[in-house]
Every structure is written in structure tokens, then in C-alpha cells.
Amino acid sequence: MNRKAMLAFMIGLMLVLSACSSGNNASSPASSNKPANSTQSTAGSESPKLNPVQLTWYYPQWSTQPGTKEVEDAINKITQEKINATIKLMPTDGGSYEQKLNTMVAANEEFDIAWTSFWMFNYAQNSRRGAFVELGPLLDKNAPELKKLFPDMVWEALKVDGKIYSILNYQTITNKEGFLIQKRFADKYGLDPSAIKSIKDIEPFLVKIKENEPDIIPFGITRAGNFENMKTTYNNIEYISNEAIVGLYRDDAQSKVMDVIQSPEYKEYLTLMHDWYSKGLINKDAPTVKALDDRKKAGQIAVSFHNVLKPGREVEEKNASGGQDIVIVPTSEPFVGTNTIIQSMQAISQTSKNPERALMFLNLLNTDKELLNLVSYGIEGKHYTRISNDMIKMNENSSYNPNITWVFGNTFLADMQEGQDAAVREQTLKENNEAKSSPILGFTFDPEPVQTEIANIQAVNDEFGPPLNTGAADVEQKLAEYIEKRKKAGIEKVVAEVQKQLDDWKQKTGK
């Protein structure tokens, strides 16, 4: 993306944030008389003309929510009135979501809406396979408010081969990597966050946790490991294919594509993780566990790592950590790439019998604050308590607290949680504006020519990745075998194909 295009994108984003902020305060005495949720009048006036339908909505969820059915009932009171549709919520365990949805698509199973991303249930790949409905022709008629909500550059980022197949869950567009640390332990053991400059700098603190807190996991990891989240911290690496684990160094003027598994940075990461695992600093079940949310909510994880340290993350993490205050320690600067924009979206299945109504629901979800709050936080008075016009507090031991607004919709529209600074949205815009952009922003790899090789590579990744990435396997013994099996599976052919497509793209775009 050139400087002029990026400037246009940021100006558009500023306007959207300003509009969202105004919408959030629409009920205050000093605000305009214009309704806060324009969808109410538009969709509501059409509802008598619409036949009743039921829409199924699949999305990943990393913790069980017993109150989902009552929230679903409350959602349907809104959607029946406004678009004459009932929504069947289909939350699916995040660890098995991709496999389940890929199986459904392969079986041509009927469903309506599904969450998609570049990193799970691959958006571009499924769009090219014909799994999703092209939305461009439907936007004007069925989602007029939604079409106006995002700047043009967001819509450009959503395009796959020139066509739009998804609706963005609007949020930060940057990645910033770093540690999430429970403040009670940082205070107790005198951790100086400013002293953490690299991944290994946190080790002395982890050792203190191990020696003095027998019921606490010093560093929590799931079977996916953490290198993908740490790659920028290690050496400014950008993934192009998450499935094949192929990428490049962002500062490489030649944009040479590489097998990341063969990089010295990956071996450095594995060596450190194996050392930590051997010392008992990492949970022993890391190679097999898919999620740590329950242990995190119980306050049992002292330190974890994340690659989206957006403004306000501390409050979200406190909510997910059983009310324990969290200290954030960044290890990289904010970064914008194609994948940082298209990291959370909703797509409509090609098997849906009601694609237009599904799009009307997504329009409503992203423009109606009451509906988005309901999906995100549950029922006011039961699951959360309102503190002010645009701020809430989650109730203790709530039966509905998924803590994943970013999965559901326009995060700038939803209420903030207690403790979040009202300036969070402005801070997010500032990070978006100042973040360094990818030299290949806008490039999307088409895996179709090497689909067989990627499938074979993924099978190898599933075998070697969990024990290596979590530190459970000996690096010298297993890494060489991992690399060799990836070669036999066709990684060199995949790298060559990615390079060919990237070179062609650079020639066409002049980048």
C-alpha cells in the first residue's frame, strides 16, 4: 500500500471511529436526535414483508458458556422484530473449529454464517474454493449501513481476486507482540517490565514463579506453541502461508520467500522452549492441550504471550484471568499487513438458503449496539451491570462471558468494560496510524496449485509441531527430521510457487 492509499485508509478509519463514538452517546441529552441505531428504522420497516427464516451461525469459542441459550432467545427477540429471522448460535471449540468447518464445507453441509480468518478456516482459500457467497452484489440492497461503515481500503483488503466474500469484525488492524503478566506476581517478585527486551529476558521471573508458586504455571502454552506469535520479535518475519509456514523477512529488499522452519530464528525459539520445558517453566501438558482458558480464568497462569496487544488489552485480559490485574510488556512495535486487517470476519456459506437475510443479520450485528452488546456480553442485569452510557462491568461468576467481542462484530460499537480508558479507541487509531506497514501489503497467496503438497505438509506439521513448539521434544533429534519430512512432503515446491506468485504480484503492482 503506498503512502497516499494508507493515508486515505487512516482518514476513513478516523471518520468511522468518530461516527461510532457519536453513536455510542446518542442517548445522552447533549447528543443529536438521530437514532443511535439506524438499522432499527430501515430493517424494522421491511420486516412485515419478509418470510420467517432461521439462520445458523458458527464461530469459535474457547470456554464453555452455560448461558448461551438464554442469550440466543434474547437475540431472537431483536432479530425477529427487525429482519424476521431467528439465529441459532453454534459456538464451536476453538481447538477443533477449523477441522469441523472444513469437514462441513467438504460435505456441502447446509449452514448460513461462519467466522473465518487468514489464520483459521482460511478466508482466501475457502473463497477461491467457492465455499462462500460473493457479497459485493448484495451489499447495496441488504446491508446499506454496513457498506458505508468501513473505509474503502478495508473493503479492498477483504477482496479475493477482486471480489468480496466476508464482512470484517472491525477492530485494531495492527499486530504488536508481547507478554501478558499477572500484576500480583510482577509486584511480589519485583519484575521491571522495562528490562524485558527479548523473549529470554523473562526467564529469571519465570524461575521465581516456579520456585515459589507451586500451584501456578509460570509460562502457559497450548499445543500450537508460540513461534507464530513471536515471529516479529525474533527477526521481523512475516508469514505468507500459515498452513505451510512459509514467509519472508520484511526488511529483505529482494522479498525472498523461505521455509520458516529452516530459519535460524525458529531453531533459536525451539532451543529456548525446550530449555524452559525441561526446567518446568511450561505446563507439562502443553503438547496436547488445545486451550488454557479455564486455568487462566482461575488465575493459574503467571505469564502468557500474545500478538495483538491492542490498547485496552489489559482490561480484556483481567476479565479472562479471574479478575487478576494484568501487566502488558510489548516485545515488538505495531505492524500492519494484509493478514492483520483480515484476522476476524464473517462469511456466508454457499449452501445457505437465505444469503440475503444472513447479510441483513450481519448488517444489524455491526450497526445495532444493543444486539452486539447482547452477543458479546449477554443480558444486562443478569450477566453484566451497566456503569454508564457506554461502559459495563461483567458480573461475577456470570453464566455468559465469552470475552471475544472481536469474533462477533464491530468492536468500536460495543460498550467498553470497566477499567478501560475512554480514550482506548483514539489510542487504537493512533497505533493504526503509526504502525509500520508490510512491504507486500495487499498480496494474498493462492494455494490451489500446491494444494496436495500443503495438505501433506500440514500432516507433518501436526506430527512434529506440538512437541517441538512447546519445548517437549529435543531440538537436535527432532528438528532435522521435521525439516527432512517437510522436504519430502513438498515444501520446496510450495516455496517456489509462493515466490512465483509474489514476483508476479510485485511486477503488476510496481511494489
Side-chain angles (χ1 to χ4, degrees), residues 78-132:
I78 297 175
T79 56
Q80 282 181 303
E81 176 188 346
K82 296 185 177 182
I83 60 171
N84 206 11
T86 55
I87 312 302
K88 179 64 177 174
L89 300 179
M90 303 297 290
T92 304
D93 172 61
S96 56
Y97 179 81
E98 181 167 47
Q99 181 179 356
K100 179 176 178 62
L101 269 292
N102 281 335
T103 300
M104 290 171 61
V105 168
N108 207 34
E109 187 173 332
E110 183 182 327
F111 66 97
D112 296 290
I113 302 167
W115 181 90
T116 179
S117 175
F118 77 91
W119 57 274
M120 186 163 70
F121 190 42
N122 189 280
Y123 168 59
Q125 189 172 342
N126 278 290
S127 297
R128 289 179 172 128
R129 287 174 174 172
F132 302 147

Side-chain angles (χ1 to χ4, degrees), residues 190 292 468:
L292 291 170
L468 276 168

Side-chain angles (χ1 to χ4, degrees), residues 383-387 391-395 416-418:
H383 301 120
Y384 69 88
T385 301
R386 180 161 300 284
I387 298 174
M391 187 167 289
I392 66 164
K393 177 182 180 181
M394 298 306 299
N395 293 342
M416 291 181 291
Q417 296 187 47
E418 182 185 33

Side-chain angles (χ1 to χ4, degrees), residues 57 115-116 150 158 167-172 341 343-346 362 365-366 405-411:
W57 179 19
W115 181 90
T116 179
F150 306 142
L158 294 176
I167 301 302
L168 186 70
N169 295 321
Y170 209 27
Q171 56 183 309
T172 177
I341 297 175
Q343 56 187 306
S344 179
M345 298 161 286
Q346 311 290 350
L362 295 179
L365 185 64
N366 284 275
T405 303
W406 59 274
V407 166
F408 295 133
N410 177 6
T411 60

Side-chain angles (χ1 to χ4, degrees), residues 90-256:
M90 303 297 290
T92 304
D93 172 61
S96 56
Y97 179 81
E98 181 167 47
Q99 181 179 356
K100 179 176 178 62
L101 269 292
N102 281 335
T103 300
M104 290 171 61
V105 168
N108 207 34
E109 187 173 332
E110 183 182 327
F111 66 97
D112 296 290
I113 302 167
W115 181 90
T116 179
S117 175
F118 77 91
W119 57 274
M120 186 163 70
F121 190 42
N122 189 280
Y123 168 59
Q125 189 172 342
N126 278 290
S127 297
R128 289 179 172 128
R129 287 174 174 172
F132 302 147
V133 172
E134 182 190 352
L135 300 181
L138 304 177
L139 285 169
D140 285 327
K141 178 181 177 183
N142 300 286
E145 295 89 359
L146 188 55
K147 187 175 182 182
K148 297 173 185 176
L149 182 62
F150 306 142
D152 289 344
M153 291 309 300
V154 167
W155 291 113
E156 285 299 316
L158 294 176
K159 288 182 179 178
V160 176
D161 301 331
K163 297 179 180 180
I164 297 168
Y165 296 91
S166 71
I167 301 302
L168 186 70
N169 295 321
Y170 209 27
Q171 56 183 309
T172 177
I173 61 167
T174 70
N175 272 13
K176 181 168 67 174
E177 301 171 355
F179 291 105
L180 304 168
I181 305 169
Q182 283 200 41
K183 186 176 184 298
R184 58 173 173 155
F185 297 128
D187 292 344
K188 183 176 181 179
Y189 298 107
L191 177 68
D192 179 8
S194 65
I196 308 299
K197 304 296 184 184
S198 67
I199 301 300
K200 62 182 65 176
D201 290 341
I202 197 75
E203 183 175 334
F205 176 70
L206 300 180
V207 171
K208 288 181 180 179
I209 300 295
K210 169 66 177 174
E211 292 174 346
N212 298 285
E213 306 289 344
D215 298 326
I216 301 298
I217 297 170
F219 189 62
I221 296 184
T222 65
R223 70 190 304 272
N226 265 147
F227 185 74
E228 183 177 345
N229 292 337
M230 294 178 173
K231 59 187 181 295
T232 299
T233 297
Y234 266 94
N235 195 3
N236 216 19
I237 295 173
E238 178 174 359
Y239 280 14
I240 296 177
S241 169
N242 289 63
E243 292 79 14
I245 317 181
V246 167
L248 46 66
Y249 295 112
R250 295 192 190 111
D251 55 1
D252 179 6
Q254 304 303 316
S255 296
K256 184 178 179 181

Side-chain angles (χ1 to χ4, degrees), residues 244-247 257-263 266 482-483 486-487 491-492 495:
I245 317 181
V246 167
V257 179
M258 64 173 174
D259 173 9
V260 175
I261 299 303
Q262 296 186 49
S263 70
Y266 181 65
Y482 185 21
I483 290 172
R486 279 170 59 86
K487 288 180 179 179
I491 188 61
E492 292 173 350
V495 168

Side-chain angles (χ1 to χ4, degrees), residues 294-307:
D294 292 341
R295 276 175 271 184
K296 188 174 185 179
K297 195 164 187 176
Q300 295 175 345
I301 298 176
V303 181
S304 58
F305 198 92
H306 208 283
N307 68 334

